[in-house]
Every structure is written in C-alpha cells, then in structure tokens.
Amino acid sequence: MYGIVFIILGNLSGNAVSFGSYIMAAAGQTEPHRPSVIGIAISALTFAVLLHISSRRGGIIMNNFFAVTKVLILLGIIILGFIKASGHKLGGASKATANFAIDQSFADERHDVASYTDSFLYIVYTYSGFEQPFYVLSEVSKPR
C-alpha cells in the first residue's frame, strides 16, 4: 500500500512526468501533447516497477548504472569548469565572467512577486538534499 501511494502521490510521479516532457523535447516536440507525456511517464514507471518486481538484481544493476552515470556527469562538469577556468575556449560566447562583476550581475533588479517566488523556490530546491539523511535515519531501529 505504501508503494502505491508513493508512486501516485509522491515524487516519482512528478519525476516521471518531467522525464516524459524531456523525452518529447528531445524528439523535437516544442509543445508536447499532455496525453503523450503522461503515457511516457506511466510507461517508465511501469517498466521500473516490473523490473524491480521480476528481478531484484536487475533493479540493483539499473540503479547502479544511473548512479555511476550521474557521478560521471558531475565529474565531467567539474573537469570542464577547471578547463574553462584555465583559459581554454570550449565554444560559445562566455557570459560567466560578468557574473562576478557586482555592477553587472545585479544590474537587472526586479521586485515583483514572481521574482521573489522564483528566488525562494531556487533556494528551497538547493537545500532540499539535506532532508534525505533524515528520511534514512527514520528507518533505523536504534539511531544514535
């Protein structure tokens, strides 16, 4: 019962819908149809659930594959950052140097409600990873 509620109401459904939109965007659909996105989301969740139901090892292998991929992407971003910081041109126009100039980075100040809401959501999203250890700790029978 917990799994059903978590899939339908939890963060998996939102992530699956985002996955469906990204798949449609990668396919060249600028404005994807909602039923197509939801169909892809349901298919992705069904595949993951069936894989974990039918093969414990298959689910572990899939999770490990995605974990290694995420770490490699993060390392690639770090390495590319050092390459760019050392002065090499990686292509495209460089706009990042203007972010450190105080007179340029805060030149476009906005004080509307939408800007404050966006800023608040960016801050909350950034720190949302700190709650994950507490979810794990709540499952431990005798935490220290």
Side-chain angles (χ1 to χ4, degrees):
M1 292 302 288
Y2 174 75
I4 292 170
V5 172
F6 188 74
I7 288 171
I8 294 173
L9 300 175
N11 62 355
L12 288 179
S13 59
N15 290 340
V17 170
S18 293
F19 174 73
S21 338
Y22 290 141
I23 291 294
M24 294 299 285
Q29 299 290 324
T30 56
E31 294 184 22
H33 299 302
R34 183 177 168 95
S36 302
V37 171
I38 292 175
I40 292 172
I42 290 172
S43 300
L45 285 177
T46 303
F47 171 74
V49 168
L50 290 176
L51 177 67
H52 284 280
I53 287 173
S54 63
S55 170
R56 180 176 182 265
R57 182 157 171 73
I60 291 171
I61 289 171
M62 185 181 74
N63 283 339
N64 289 342
F65 171 76
F66 285 130
V68 168
T69 303
K70 285 167 54 174
V71 169
L72 289 176
I73 289 172
L74 181 62
L75 288 174
I77 290 171
I78 292 169
I79 291 169
L80 287 173
F82 282 124
I83 291 171
K84 183 68 176 173
S86 68
H88 289 80
K89 298 227 181 225
L90 298 176
S94 177
K95 298 178 184 177
T97 55
N99 289 338
F100 296 108
I102 295 175
D103 60 335
Q104 293 179 6
S105 61
F106 298 107
D108 186 25
E109 293 183 17
R110 294 176 28 194
H111 297 287
D112 56 320
V113 176
S115 297
Y116 284 112
T117 304
D118 286 344
S119 300
F120 181 71
L121 286 175
Y122 292 148
I123 292 168
V124 169
Y125 182 74
T126 303
Y127 289 107
S128 67
F130 289 114
E131 64 194 24
Q132 297 300 324
F134 298 110
Y135 290 143
V136 173
L137 192 60
S138 69
E139 299 295 326
V140 176
S141 61
K142 294 181 181 179
R144 295 184 187 178

